Amino acid sequence: MSNPTILLQARQIEARVAQVAKEVDKHYAGEEIVLLVVLKGAMVFAADLMRQIRTPFQLEFAQSRTYGESTVPETNPSVIGPDLSKISDKHVLLVDDILDTGATYLALKEWLLDREALSVRGCFLLDKPWRREASIKPDFFGFQVPDVFVVGYGLDHAERYRNLPYIGQLPEQPE
Ligand code: IMP
Ligand code: MG
């Protein structure tokens, strides 16, 4: 299979991630937060972002699976998350790779607010507003991308391509 077409170079991503970290620090000035990383796709972004963030944070992980082997969502997001004591009465910054339909973010946000998070905000490397189901906007995001399936920098297709240092568009699949 041919390589993905590059949409965002590693250097562009690095520079933008540093800016996003500054926006986060500005927003949370004086607060402590929980950085809740949504596995698995966000781990590369989160690893770079957290090293630029100066706001004190506690690191937690959540998982919400929507995609299996396909490029369209297969199920509603189901949440595997941190225990209640870690999030109740805390400001939670959810870090995910991409905001697409918004279903994952909505489900996680509701789940966190049910567990008495003080506030929930979302920080995404990529924003794909084209298929958004509800009026959800990212509080922080790196780049808007076209409505194509993207891979690399943590994002996968059937677990492949996560190791690419850039964001690319998946080559056309034969039907
Ligand atoms: P949403 O629930 O539709 O907003 O989708 C969010 C999740 O779907 C992301 O965290 C990704 O794991 C996955 N996703 C959505 N679009 C893409 C894509 O273009 N490439 C890889 N994963 C994607
Ligand atoms: Mg994801």
Side-chain angles (χ1 to χ4, degrees), residues 8-163:
L8 297 164
Q9 298 277 7
R11 258 177 295 120
Q12 279 175 277
I13 300 171
E14 187 185 353
R16 183 67 190 128
V17 168
Q19 290 172 342
V20 172
K22 285 207 173 77
E23 291 171 23
V24 167
D25 284 338
K26 196 172 165 202
H27 178 84
Y28 287 108
E31 309 272 11
E32 282 198 24
I33 63 174
V34 172
L35 209 66
L36 185 64
V37 180
V38 185
L39 295 173
K40 301 180 231 175
M43 75 158 270
V44 176
F45 171 45
D48 285 345
L49 182 75
M50 76 174 71
R51 284 177 288 176
Q52 301 288 333
I53 285 182
R54 298 291 165 258
T55 305
F57 64 83
Q58 174 191 327
L59 183 63
E60 299 296 340
F61 297 96
Q63 184 156 27
S64 180
R65 271 191 72 95
T66 45
Y67 291 74
E69 302 277 306
S70 91
T71 54
V72 286
E74 286 175 344
T75 55
N76 287 326
S78 62
V79 180
I80 308 161
D83 70 50
L84 201 114
S85 62
K86 293 183 173 158
I87 46 171
S88 61
D89 293 326
K90 309 264 170 63
H91 293 290
V92 178
L93 180 62
L94 200 141
V95 179
D96 206 351
D97 47 11
I98 184 163
L99 184 64
D100 185 18
T101 64
T104 306
Y105 180 51
L106 263 192
L108 281 169
K109 190 168 179 172
E110 196 181 287
W111 190 88
L112 291 162
L113 291 172
D114 281 351
R115 281 152 190 80
E116 285 165 355
L118 262 188
S119 70
V120 180
R121 296 215 152 65
C123 179
F124 305 85
L125 176 69
L126 304 174
D127 182 22
K128 263 197 333 199
W130 327 103
R131 296 197 302 155
R132 201 66 45 81
E133 280 163 3
S135 58
I136 307 159
K137 286 210 174 93
D139 297 290
F140 310 94
F141 73 97
F143 304 91
Q144 210 173 74
V145 285
D147 187 16
V148 294
F149 201 80
V150 292
V151 293
Y153 195 72
L155 291 100
D156 75 309
H157 175 245
E159 295 300 328
R160 283 197 60 202
Y161 307 106
R162 292 194 196 277
N163 54 334

